[in-house]
Amino acid sequence: MLLAIDAGNTNVVFAVFDGDEKRAHWRISTDSQRTADEYAVWLVSLMGMKGLTPTDIDAAILSSVVPSQTYALMKLTEEHFGCVTMRVGDPSVELGLQNKLLNPREAGADRLVNAVSAVASYPTPLVVIDIGTGTTFDVVDAEGAFAGGVIAPGPALSLDALHRVAAQLPKVDIAKPDVAIGRGTVAAMQSGMFWGYTGMIEGILKRIIAELSPDGQTKVTVIGTGGLVRLFAEGTDMIHHIDGDLTLRGLRLIHARNAAAN
């Protein structure tokens, strides 16, 4: 079985695949001080609840945008699962995806994994919106190549910054308000965040779509993923598909391609 690990700035997600089937997945908050042993205690316990043991795992793949945790997670798989980790971003790992960035090394592992997964499941050209700590718009052109994208602050990060720099503004939850006009401070902040962020999503998408399809004749597929995508999808009809497993499927696919080539 394959252990797939997606280490993001907010959460680290673990999934176990038996062939194409996802047997289970779990997430834990990202902590730059967490050790391989701490991950093991937590993960092995949860695996046991699903009838899985470390000896069931014979391969692992990691996508990480958190350098401080990359080593700990690779050590986890080597010491507690007995397998060497395939790491997205290592030159030896082939993605099967052309990267058209001026400096291809600048592309985050998570963005590339999402693009690989999206190309395998949806028609191109396409855009993947991943709403998390940051919000990324990853663009795949009609030829199936990673063409670049947009990076913006995530909703929670934006709200937290507003709370920290404005002394009289409270910390509020992200929610979709029933109306745009807030009748109090909390309602006004929630409206500004939700409708303002939805407007940003729609505005950026319109510009990307216009660049991908200048004549307006080519359909551009938009896929949403990430922890808050379902909430913001309620405010717009520009997101065609919501795919919570996009990154994990991409990791499984990349591992399968490279294992078959070796």
Side-chain angles (χ1 to χ4, degrees):
M1 294 185 190
L2 172 69
L3 177 63
I5 308 172
D6 174 30
N9 290 299
T10 302
N11 293 301
V12 182
V13 182
F14 298 81
V16 174
F17 285 94
D18 187 357
D20 294 343
E21 178 191 0
K22 187 180 73 173
R23 289 283 302 272
H25 76 277
W26 310 271
R27 67 182 59 236
I28 188 171
S29 60
T30 302
D31 181 346
S32 62
Q33 302 302 312
R34 189 168 281 123
T35 67
D37 293 337
E38 289 172 321
Y39 277 119
V41 170
W42 172 83
L43 181 59
V44 171
S45 175
L46 288 174
M47 288 176 63
M49 296 171 66
K50 294 290 186 178
L52 299 168
T53 69
T55 56
D56 292 322
I57 305 300
D58 54 24
I61 184 168
L62 168 67
S63 167
S64 175
V65 297
V66 189
S68 64
Q69 285 299 279
T70 301
Y71 174 75
L73 290 165
M74 294 185 72
K75 189 176 179 181
L76 163 73
T77 60
E78 292 172 9
E79 293 190 353
H80 296 279
F81 294 91
C83 53
V84 176
T85 306
M86 183 183 296
R87 182 178 61 83
V88 177
D90 187 297
S92 66
V93 177
E94 293 291 336
L95 302 183
L97 178 79
Q98 183 184 2
N99 185 339
K100 290 185 176 179
L101 291 190
L102 296 177
N103 180 0
R105 294 175 63 87
E106 288 184 352
D110 54 341
R111 300 177 66 193
L112 294 174
V113 171
N114 283 346
V116 169
S117 185
V119 169
S121 300
Y122 303 97
T124 59
L126 59 82
V127 184
V128 177
I129 306 175
D130 190 346
I131 305 179
T133 305
T135 293
T136 56
F137 297 73
D138 298 318
V139 179
V140 175
D141 63 21
E143 288 72 42
F146 181 72
V150 176
I151 301 174
L157 187 63
S158 300
L159 264 182
D160 185 61
L162 185 62
H163 164 65
R164 285 189 287 106
V165 301
Q168 291 186 308
L169 295 182
K171 190 173 181 65
V172 301
D173 294 328
I174 300 172
K176 179 186 177 185
D178 295 328
V179 295
I181 301 172
R183 303 295 183 181
T185 300
V186 170
M189 291 177 67
Q190 288 178 326
S191 181
M193 169 49 62
F194 184 84
W195 295 117
Y197 213 82
T198 300
M200 181 201 75
I201 290 171
E202 292 182 331
I204 290 176
L205 278 176
K206 287 176 182 177
R207 290 178 179 273
I208 290 174
I209 291 169
E211 292 177 22
L212 287 174
S213 179
D215 60 3
Q217 299 303 306
T218 302
K219 180 180 178 181
V220 178
T221 308
V222 179
I223 305 105
T225 192
L228 291 172
V229 68
R230 292 187 183 277
L231 174 64
F232 285 98
E234 294 178 14
T236 178
D237 60 1
M238 294 189 71
I239 299 175
H240 305 132
H241 306 278
I242 296 176
D243 193 336
D245 283 340
L246 188 72
T247 308
L248 294 174
R249 286 205 319 278
L251 287 171
R252 183 198 60 76
L253 180 59
I254 291 169
H255 183 273
R257 287 176 177 173
N258 282 268
N262 295 327

